[in-house]
Amino acid sequence: MDITILWWHWMLLGVVLVALAKVMPRFNFLWFGLGSIFTGVLLGVFSGMPPAAQYLSFALSSICFAVIWIKVIKPRM
């Protein structure tokens, strides 16, 4: 079974996760939402990305957003 994930799937997931982060008392879903939106934009630009590269992009960007928050933004607040 061949499942194709399109750019708007990532964007929709990102919007849902960011909205979920707004109603939850913690920001845990925010990093995954931003990572999903980043992956959607990346897939929109590079439309031939294989699914493995999409998943890797999602994971790495989510981790990077969380690290940026913890190491850079949060200490300045």
Side-chain angles (χ1 to χ4, degrees):
M1 185 161 96
D2 184 27
I3 299 173
T4 303
I5 301 174
L6 302 175
W7 67 271
W8 64 268
H9 294 138
W10 286 109
M11 298 297 269
L12 181 64
L13 176 64
V15 169
V16 168
L17 289 172
V18 169
L20 190 59
K22 295 296 262 180
V23 298
M24 299 293 284
R26 299 181 59 131
F27 289 111
N28 295 344
F29 292 107
L30 183 63
W31 320 127
F32 297 114
L34 292 176
S36 179
I37 291 171
F38 177 78
T39 303
V41 169
L42 204 61
L43 185 59
V45 173
F46 303 107
S47 59
M49 281 178 61
Q54 294 176 35
Y55 302 143
L56 183 63
S57 168
F58 171 68
L60 291 178
S61 61
S62 297
I63 291 169
C64 286
F65 283 123
V67 168
I68 288 169
W69 169 259
I70 292 168
K71 297 289 185 182
V72 178
I73 298 171
K74 191 174 179 183
R76 292 182 183 180
M77 294 179 82

